[in-house]
Amino acid sequence: MDEGRRTPAVVLYRVLVVAVIAGVLILLAVLIFRYSEGAHMNPYEYSIEEFMDVPEELLLWDEASVIELDIAQPAGLAVDAQDRIFVAGAQEVAIWNAEGTAAGRFSTLAPARTIAIGPQGQIFVASVDHVNVYGPDGSHESEWTSLGEGAFISGMAATDDAVYLADAGSKLIWRFDTSGRLLSQIGRPRPSADYHGFLIPSRCFDVAAATDGALWITNPGRLRVEKYSPDGSLDAYWGEPSMGIEGFCGCCNPTHLAVTRQGHVVTSEKGLPRVKVYEPDGSLNTVVAGPRHFAPGTVGLDLAADSMGRVLVLDGGAGLVRIFVRRSEEGKTP
Amino acid sequence: MKNDDKKTKARRRFLAGGLGAAALGALAQGSTAGRRADRPVWQLDPYLCSQCGRCATECVLKPSAVKCVHAYAMCGYCELCFGYFLPGARSLDESAENQTCPTGAIRRRFIEEPYFEYVIDEPLCIGCAKCVTGCNTFGNGSLFLQVRHDRCLNCNECAIAAVCPADAFVRVSASRPYIFKGENDSTSGGLS
Ligand code: SF4
Ligand code: SF4
Ligand code: SF4
């Protein structure tokens, strides 16, 4: 009976049905393959994978703890003489003690770009073009005049008698006294003296003051760090372009810096996010954290160093302050 | 003399900044001549683009109608441009093996100490976005992709838009056919 049903028309019909089903399946597979992100191999991929690893013998710091931030758009990090930790964001400044316990917060008048603490505990909070000064209790004390249209303050340092603003817009360091009176500027190009000032291709420009009064300033377009006297004279510089760990990568690095109490210069970079410690003469001391420590695309790693020798890194994208401790000689975190 | 002329012109262009964008604007006007101004055309939003490479491979035109453009007003005129140089470039000279661009479509020239200008040779550009990734990663994002309307066929269904993983393709008015990256980004570098 069954045999009798297999006429050529039935066979042809079955073959056609199978072919149509197979065709639909193939089409579906092709569409899924074509439209699925994972299946797409970019023949023009720009890869930095080979530069992501750091030699183990240089990675001598451990992330001992983190502070989880509950603050919108954290942009600036500072520590004071008591090692209290300050983070400034879009609307407020939050404060923790050295152990990472919340110690207060206050609202700011304008979204912050960067923060510095003065010797008397004054809290200088810089917005895009001007500074607001708050007392140690967070009360508003004064508002300084604007640096003008086009200003973009991206870094700040405070000493006993001066506040230095790194303005990525004008490519200058502005030196004020602690009451907000403009004293001088650092970085005006003098081509006749073969001095070209600061090259700032992007909003990465930072300044830090050492305990001996020296100023360390990034010159990111030159891929180097420069040392100035408070009067604005260039005393020294170092840094070389390199994807290798000893140099600075890309077109505008380092993005941030800090100075330890011992005089070491701590730098952070974008593109290959990494944090390193240099000797004052520019030789690489150690690596605090390499690119694999941070999410891809991490930028804006503001830095601070406290009296205990710890390096603090503001990783705003991750919503964290990462606190790094140098390993002891035996290779263990003290 | 000719070289001096070229240098002066380049310097003027450098000092004017933004002229690249202005040129694109002029071209935009030209490209709309003869078109109905309200007619929608395809464009890609450079702020959404994830540089996946499909703009080079999927356009019905070969080479693609998508090209790299350069916002001169944003550019840092860096000596060491990682849109131009490969991350692992052995030396910082202009030989092909040191360049990011697979077709050699970016020309680099000295302007004045310490500045260099980078110019896209459009006929050579295939819209692969490799330089765009380099500039976004290490620089300030002044290199970006745009559909060029002097060559785009304005297909009913843009073959790139159909597969763009970032949904970066949009219809815009032919009277404003480009989405510029502008002055406000001039120092952003992804940090803002
Ligand atoms: S297809 Fe979309 S994401 Fe990919 S390069 Fe083109 S615009 Fe960018
Ligand atoms: S790298 Fe790609 S997008 Fe950039 S100029 Fe060359 S071909 Fe054009
Ligand atoms: S509309 Fe057509 S020609 Fe224009 S970019 Fe898309 S695929 Fe290419």
Side-chain angles (χ1 to χ4, degrees), chain A:
Chain A
M1 287 289 275
D2 280 346
E3 289 292 309
R5 272 196 216 134
R6 249 185 227 166
T7 62
V10 170
V11 170
L12 184 63
Y13 173 75
R14 286 180 180 167
V15 167
L16 275 175
V17 168
V18 169
V20 167
I21 291 171
V24 168
L25 287 176
I26 289 168
L27 190 65
L28 271 175
V30 166
L31 285 175
I32 289 170
F33 183 79
R34 185 177 168 83
Y35 284 87
S36 71
E37 175 60 4
H40 176 73
M41 296 290 288
N42 181 359
Y44 305 105
E45 193 181 353
Y46 184 96
S47 176
I48 51 172
E49 183 59 30
E50 65 179 296
F51 306 105
M52 294 291 282
D53 290 316
V54 173
E56 278 298 317
E57 63 274 17
L58 288 172
L59 263 174
L60 295 177
W61 294 70
D62 291 314
E63 186 178 281
S65 59
V66 295
I67 295 173
E68 290 185 16
L69 301 173
D70 54 350
I71 179 170
Q73 295 168 38
L77 169 72
V79 295
D80 69 3
Q82 288 77 47
D83 291 334
R84 291 188 307 161
I85 300 156
F86 295 71
V87 173
Q91 290 143 9
E92 59 189 336
V93 169
I95 306 162
W96 294 264
N97 66 21
E99 289 72 46
T101 307
R105 58 204 306 145
F106 63 87
S107 298
T108 51
L109 292 184
R113 298 296 322 171
T114 180
I115 183 170
I117 314 298
Q120 269 78 52
Q122 317 97 301
I123 303 166
F124 300 97
V125 180
S127 302
V128 168
D129 66 340
H130 71 283
V131 171
N132 276 289
V133 186
Y134 301 86
D137 61 353
S139 56
H140 186 248
E141 291 187 346
S142 62
E143 180 168 345
W144 295 0
T145 52
S146 167
L147 300 192
E149 212 176 307
F152 190 93
I153 302 170
S154 54
M156 179 163 51
T159 64
D160 286 350
D161 52 8
V163 175
Y164 298 88
L165 301 179
D167 174 7
S170 68
K171 303 174 183 170
L172 293 172
I173 300 289
W174 299 67
R175 177 173 169 241
F176 291 87
D177 70 15
T178 51
S179 68
R181 192 167 58 95
L182 179 62
L183 300 175
S184 58
Q185 293 171 331
I186 300 173
R188 278 219 180 275
R190 296 186 306 276
S192 57
D194 203 25
Y195 174 75
H196 300 282
F198 301 106
L199 303 193
I200 318 287
S202 56
R203 282 176 180 166
C204 318
F205 189 30
D206 200 7
V207 55
T211 47
D212 65 359
L215 295 172
W216 291 95
I217 303 173
T218 60
N219 197 342
R222 293 271 194 189
L223 298 159
R224 71 190 193 196
V225 171
E226 299 181 348
K227 184 184 183 190
Y228 286 81
S229 298
D231 68 4
S233 52
L234 174 62
D235 296 334
Y237 62 84
W238 45 259
E240 61 179 68
S242 170
M243 299 299 281
I245 195 66
E246 68 290 343
F248 297 121
C249 62
C251 345
C252 26
N253 270 316
T255 62
H256 295 79
L257 50 67
V259 193
T260 69
R261 310 283 158 105
Q262 294 74 35
H264 290 116
V265 179
V266 188
T267 62
S268 68
E269 288 162 85
K270 66 170 184 167
L272 281 177
R274 50 193 190 186
V275 178
K276 296 177 283 185
V277 179
Y278 288 88
E279 300 289 342
D281 67 2
S283 52
L284 180 63
N285 174 289
T286 47
V287 178
V288 176
R292 296 204 190 279
H293 205 97
F294 303 98
T298 293
V299 291
L301 295 171
D302 199 6
L303 301 169
D306 70 11
S307 72
M308 294 181 275
R310 305 187 303 178
V311 168
L312 295 87
V313 180
L314 175 63
D315 185 350
L320 298 173
V321 173
R322 302 180 184 274
I323 301 175
F324 292 89
V325 177
R326 175 86 149 87
R327 261 175 240 153
S328 66
E329 291 303 310
E330 295 76 38
K332 292 193 172 63
T333 304

Side-chain angles (χ1 to χ4, degrees), chain B residues 44 48-55 127 129 145 160 163-166 168-169:
Chain B
L44 70 94
L48 294 178
C49 170
S50 58
Q51 302 107 43
C52 72
R54 287 175 169 98
C55 274
L145 295 183
I160 312 172
V163 295
C164 173
F169 271 72

Side-chain angles (χ1 to χ4, degrees), chain B residues 20-38:
Chain B
L24 200 60
L27 206 141
Q29 298 223 318
S31 73
T32 56
R35 285 188 190 179
R36 288 207 350 251
D38 57 353

